[in-house]
Each structure stands twice: as C-alpha cells, then as structure tokens.
Amino acid sequence: DAKTTQPPSMDCAEGRAANLPCNHSTISGNEYVYWYRQIHSQGPQYIIHGLKNNETNEMASLIITEDRKSSTLILPHATLRDTAVYYCIVRVGETSGSRLTFGEGTQLTVNP
Amino acid sequence: EAGVAQSPRYKIIEKRQSVAFWCNPISGHATLYWYQQILGQGPKLLIQFQNNGVVDDSQLPKDRFSAERLKGVDSTLKIQPAKLEDSAVYLCASSLTPGLGTDTQYFGPGTRLTVL
C-alpha cells in the first residue's frame, strides 16, 4: 500500500471548516483514499473514502487532486466533538478486504 | 445495530503471564481483524479472519501470540508469555464479506493491556 504523509497536528476554531491535508504521491491507479478518525479512548471510526472523484457524506467531504497525489478531508463546521486523530490511508480495492495500514495521523484540536 | 464488543476493557498483568482478549463482531460480518495500537502510534494489523479461516497473519508474533475464531463468529486473541513491549490497546474490527459492498471496518472500543 502507498505511504501517506500528514501533518502531526492542527488546530481549528469551533464552527469553522477544518481542512486536513494528506500527501500520497506514490498512489497506484487501483488504490483508494480512506479517512478514519479516532477519538480519545475509542476505536477508529470510518469517515469517508474515494478513488478519484470528490466525495461527500453526512460527516465530511473528500477532495482528491486530479493527479491523485494528494487529498483534503473537510469537516465543514467543526465542533468540539471532532477533536480526534485523523488517519489518511491508501489501500488497494474497495471491497477486497485488504488491510488498513495506519500511519500516525493528524491530531486535530477544535478550540471553543 | 449493536457494535463490535470487546472484553475486558482493561487488563494489568506481570511479564511472563498469559492473557486473553475476546471479541464479538457485528452480526453478519464475515471478516474479523485484530489490531495492536501502541501509545502514540496508529493501529497495526495483527491478524485477519474470513469466517473461521486466517487471511493474513503476517504481522502476528507467532511465538507468543495466537488467535482463533471458532464457528466464524467470536474470536479470542491470546498472548503467552507476555512481554513489557506488549503493553498496548488491542482493537477488534469487523466488516462485511469482501465483494458485498464497501468493506468498511467497524472497530470495538479496545482492550488496554498493561504489562508490568
């Protein structure tokens, strides 16, 4: 699986958009970008995933650059409950059951 | 819908003792995963089951770690004997059968193991 690079930490004001970047310059054509987050003392939680088109769900939006070498997770209106470690993961396939390889992620702190 | 259940939530043992963790996946999920998460790091996959068969155990330290998933539902992860470096959170996750929709992994709350 392709390696990802994320900033170790970010801060965001409550109510503002949180934009979390991820670099995956060695991504292959059949690899998807997944985002999970882990709130303190809980297991990771799936947020969103995509291949090359931008994706949106009730939690977040995922913007993937045209060359697919980087992506941005957007939390449109961050709340205190969004404080967590956010993991960007690249993996082969969407339904293959292949492993998730977690890096160290980005610690997002949402401030009041 | 009930989530992934794990027990115990916390365990403290001395080195060289043995310990076992239990996981009950979401009903109907054929794939089960055990991850190890050391403090400050992301989770690392230890073993993956498809029903009751092992799909990937390449990162499982087989000299001391073992896991089973009898009847393709519940699973147990065992460490014998434990070492200090096994102190970590052990996470269980489950997902639908690959090929049947996006195999989002759902994680349990984890078991925090402290080895003294």
Side-chain angles (χ1 to χ4, degrees):
Chain A
D1 293 340
K3 180 175 174 145
T4 62
T5 303
Q6 300 177 252
S9 63
M10 294 183 64
D11 286 290
C12 177
E14 188 177 22
R16 303 296 293 271
N19 298 284
L20 292 93
C22 179
N23 286 318
H24 32 79
S25 58
T26 59
I27 193 169
S28 299
N30 63 345
E31 289 181 313
Y32 286 72
V33 179
Y34 280 74
W35 283 84
Y36 278 74
R37 74 180 183 183
Q38 187 171 25
I39 295 170
H40 184 62
S41 296
Q42 297 183 20
Q45 175 191 25
Y46 167 81
I47 301 173
I48 198 167
H49 77 283
L51 181 62
K52 55 184 178 181
N53 296 321
N54 298 336
E55 303 287 345
T56 296
N57 63 19
E58 65 277 5
M59 289 183 68
S61 294
L62 173 60
I63 308 298
I64 302 174
T65 58
E66 191 168 346
D67 63 7
R68 302 210 322 122
K69 293 184 176 182
S70 65
S71 60
T72 301
L73 178 74
I74 301 173
L75 308 178
H77 305 286
T79 70
L80 299 179
R81 288 174 294 182
D82 293 322
T83 292
V85 178
Y86 287 77
Y87 296 100
C88 170
I89 301 164
V90 173
R91 68 187 286 223
V92 172
E94 186 177 29
T95 60
S96 65
S98 60
R99 69 169 63 180
L100 291 173
T101 301
F102 289 83
E104 296 186 353
T106 296
Q107 171 66 59
L108 174 69
T109 302
V110 181
N111 300 304
Chain B
E1 174 183 90
V4 176
Q6 291 189 247
S7 67
R9 290 296 312 277
Y10 305 92
K11 188 74 177 179
I12 300 174
I13 62 173
E14 295 189 349
K15 60 183 178 182
R16 292 188 289 273
Q17 287 186 323
S18 63
V19 64
F21 314 124
W22 174 81
C23 172
N24 188 325
I26 293 173
S27 177
H29 281 194
T31 308
L32 185 146
Y33 313 78
W34 283 102
Y35 289 82
Q36 179 193 58
Q37 185 172 25
I38 294 172
L39 185 64
Q41 300 180 15
K44 182 184 80 171
L45 179 71
L46 292 176
I47 189 167
Q48 175 183 343
F49 291 94
Q50 176 73 26
N51 295 309
N52 60 353
V54 176
V55 173
D56 183 353
D57 64 355
S58 58
Q59 298 189 102
L60 185 73
K62 298 179 185 64
D63 57 334
R64 298 184 300 105
F65 286 66
S66 65
E68 60 182 10
R69 192 184 183 197
L70 301 176
K71 301 181 181 179
V73 181
D74 294 7
S75 177
T76 302
L77 176 70
K78 297 179 181 178
I79 307 174
Q80 181 179 7
K83 293 185 175 181
L84 296 177
E85 58 261 36
D86 298 332
S87 294
V89 175
Y90 291 85
L91 294 160
C92 179
S94 69
S95 66
L96 287 169
T97 301
L100 297 180
T102 305
D103 62 335
T104 299
Q105 294 186 25
Y106 296 87
F107 285 79
T111 297
R112 182 176 297 277
L113 173 67
T114 301
V115 182
L116 303 176

